[in-house]
Amino acid sequence: MPRSHILQRLISSPVSPIPLAAYRPVAILQTQKRHSSHSPLGSPPTTSRKRVTLDTLRSFHRKDEPITMITAHDFPSAHVADHAGMDMILVGDSLAMVALGMEDTSEVLLEEMILHCRSVSRATKAAFTIGDLPMGSYEVTPEQALQSAIRVIKEGRVQGIKLEGGTEMASTIERITRAGIPVLGHVGLTPQRQSSLGGFKVQGKTTIGALKVLEDALAVQEAGAFAVVLEAVPADVASLVTNKLSIPTIGIGAGNGCSGQVLVQVDMSGNFPPGRFLPKFVKQYGDVWGESMKAIQAYKSEVKSRAYPEPQHTYPMPAHDLSEFKRLIESKSA
């Protein structure tokens, strides 16, 4: 039965001398300060900063100031990354594993990437945001890639896209950049193609391999990419490649000689159970899993023991209203 009908029946009961007009639920609500427990935004950062643009990143590169980049896959992870002052936030296709529980990056769909890009973009107020093009969304033709890139920018609300590949993707990168969309390249270990590479193996360990990394990076630069990710490349090779380029390099497992660094947030923050494999290049800066476990276990314990919620966690009701409410329901059940 609708709540208004129940209230009407109680108030119109012969035992109640109080008319319906005396009950003012709207007025009561107006006197209460209500906050949703699911409000997405908290306080703004204590130190405001200007939005990072391509010019900002180029300025960092000219001044030899390292560029910081981290992945995010939803509103909370992007929110904390932006508050922490990251220069760039990447909605990487690694979310296939860390957010969607898939086996590898080849499973994630363009539509799923766009959904996560939208979530990240809502939280990011200053960092430069990049969305990954997933496998199957850009390899067929440059036109297919452009259409996918437009969707990621227009629907995902990010500021640029990333795609994997070197010389073979140069024409694709050129087509996308000619349309005015910033492209972040990705050479070295390209996870979407790990099957053809024999697994997740370091690239550029031989002279021929190192020359291939350089060739790919130069091709990406010539095609118009504003920067390039170097993944799983020997540090000396990455440093030499960086010195040969006029655009920034973002390293992941490529040593300290790159123009910047990127890590998967779940990895570096320790948001995973004990025993999970971590690549050699990952440094764990926190223990989000452990802290979350302690908090959730404490919550469970207090709920079971009825220690939570305490009075300070509840909403009071005026004593006379509570008394009248009790009288009404008791008289109704009598």
Side-chain angles (χ1 to χ4, degrees), residues 188 201-215 232-238 240-241:
K201 294 183 177 180
V202 176
Q203 302 297 301
K205 293 182 71 174
T206 66
T207 302
I208 294 176
L211 286 170
K212 173 61 175 169
V213 173
L214 175 59
E215 180 186 17
V233 173
D236 290 336
V237 172
L240 289 168
V241 169

Side-chain angles (χ1 to χ4, degrees), residues 27 30 37 59 73 79 83 86 125 149 170 217 271 299:
Q30 289 175 343
S37 62
S59 175
H73 58 262
H79 200 196
H83 273 241
M86 285 290 106
K125 305 304 178 185
N271 193 6
Y299 165 66

Side-chain angles (χ1 to χ4, degrees), residues 112-225:
E112 292 167 326
M113 291 299 303
I114 290 172
L115 175 64
H116 286 270
C117 283
R118 276 209 301 267
S119 180
V120 166
S121 67
R122 293 186 190 108
T124 308
K125 305 304 178 185
F128 192 85
T129 51
I130 298 289
D132 242 336
L133 292 188
M135 182 179 185
S137 68
Y138 64 95
E139 300 92 338
V140 179
T141 64
E143 291 304 317
Q144 179 214 23
L146 176 59
Q147 291 172 1
S148 296
I150 289 172
R151 288 195 63 193
V152 171
I153 298 296
K154 188 175 181 63
E155 300 174 38
R157 309 307 299 153
V158 292
Q159 295 158 284
I161 62 96
K162 181 175 79 67
L163 58 79
E164 296 181 4
T167 55
E168 76 284 3
M169 283 293 128
S171 61
T172 295
I173 294 172
E174 183 179 5
R175 182 68 185 93
I176 296 172
T177 56
R178 277 196 287 118
I181 296 174
V183 175
L184 174 63
H186 186 154
V187 303
L189 173 60
T190 47
Q192 292 177 8
R193 308 175 186 192
Q194 54 91 13
S195 295
S196 65
L197 297 174
F200 295 96
K201 294 183 177 180
V202 176
Q203 302 297 301
K205 293 182 71 174
T206 66
T207 302
I208 294 176
L211 286 170
K212 173 61 175 169
V213 173
L214 175 59
E215 180 186 17
D216 284 339
L218 287 170
V220 164
Q221 173 180 270
E222 183 66 23

